[in-house]
Amino acid sequence: MLDDAPRSSSTSADSIRIATAEFVVSAPNLKACPPLTYPEVAIAGRSNVGKSSLINHICNRRHLAKTSNTPGKTRLINFFHLALDPDSVHLHLVDLPGYGYAKIDKASQQQWARTLQEFLEWRPLAAIIHLIDCRHEPTALDKQMREWIAHQKIPSITILTKADKLSSSQLAQSRSRIVHSLHLQKEEPCLATSTLKKTGAREILQALHDVILGASSETLRKS
Ligand code: GTP
Ligand code: MG
């Protein structure tokens, strides 16, 4: 599937549909991850920012990924298989444990950080979805993640979560601040979403669709 022929990315957001959305497997570490089957898009962000909720939102499924009010819910690397119609674009979305969760013991914190770091360093990713809470300034760890993404030149989609917590003018201001603070480039998508108000899913699906088609063409070009 990684070497699919490049296809047009002109499909409009309105026509993109989820044909398949299914949980594949959870892995405690890099070694236990399944073989690379489809282009993989990792979802990264601090604990409780809304990573797992985003998966449910874009797949229109309430309980596909496990969410929680308490930070630190996702402790494993969780793989989900998505197929997007009408182009039959297949991908794995990878729900990662959040970073920056302080309320666990030091040993668990270190173990967790190691798992995340190893995965990001060694797993070939088609793209990263980087989530930032729209209400807050990016943290030092958010900036570190962003620098790593830019350094690795991995296509990224930045998503501002919990958009329902701000008015539209506040959201626009927050977006400018975050774009500036993370040094996002003009061509890099920066989208807002609210799982509560069910907004932003179509734009995110479109960005995912485009990034996977781009990754497929790139793979072909290099082979
Ligand atoms: P970890 O797995 O702990 O790293 O967290 P996570 O990033 O996966 O966050 P999760 O999806 O579990 O959501 C954390 C909390 O934020 C839950 O209480 C969600 O209901 C809430 N949440 C997620 N998205 C939104 C949103 O768009 N608006 C609001 N108001 N709450 C949200
Ligand atoms: Mg989670």
Side-chain angles (χ1 to χ4, degrees), residues 48 50-53 66-68 72-75 78 95-98:
N48 211 44
K51 299 177 293 297
S52 304
S53 304
K66 292 192 181 108
T67 66
S68 168
K73 174 68 183 174
T74 306
R75 298 190 174 207
N78 298 304
D95 189 12
L96 294 173

Side-chain angles (χ1 to χ4, degrees), residues 91-215:
L91 65 136
H92 273 167
L93 271 187
V94 188
D95 189 12
L96 294 173
Y99 50 73
Y101 181 46
K103 289 184 191 154
I104 44 168
D105 62 274
K106 226 7 349 76
S108 306
Q109 258 184 54
Q110 285 171 351
Q111 174 59 39
W112 217 338
R114 221 175 7 251
T115 302
L116 194 59
Q117 198 172 345
E118 234 181 33
F119 179 86
L120 291 172
E121 212 163 304
W122 293 103
R123 192 81 173 172
L125 295 173
I128 289 203
I129 296 182
H130 188 199
L131 267 55
I132 306 285
D133 187 321
C134 71
R135 296 168 295 175
H136 307 305
E137 282 300 315
T139 63
L141 287 175
D142 288 330
K143 289 181 184 172
Q144 205 175 311
M145 172 61 73
R146 171 61 201 170
E147 276 166 26
W148 182 83
I149 293 169
H151 183 253
Q152 299 292 320
K153 299 192 169 59
I154 299 174
S156 73
I157 304 168
T158 304
I159 296 183
L160 311 185
T161 62
K162 311 193 183 185
D164 51 278
K165 302 273 190 186
L166 297 180
S167 69
S168 54
S169 62
Q170 286 170 328
L171 183 62
Q173 280 172 15
S174 163
R175 186 179 185 282
S176 306
R177 261 203 337 270
I178 291 168
V179 164
H180 180 73
S181 161
L182 295 181
H183 305 292
L184 298 182
Q185 304 299 306
K186 254 197 241 131
E187 67 280 6
E188 293 180 295
C190 178
L191 308 167
T193 183
S194 163
T195 62
L196 212 65
K197 290 199 170 166
K198 301 199 182 305
T199 55
R202 279 187 312 147
E203 292 80 0
I204 294 168
L205 280 178
Q206 174 77 63
L208 257 180
H209 175 270
D210 291 351
V211 95
I212 295 302
L213 290 189

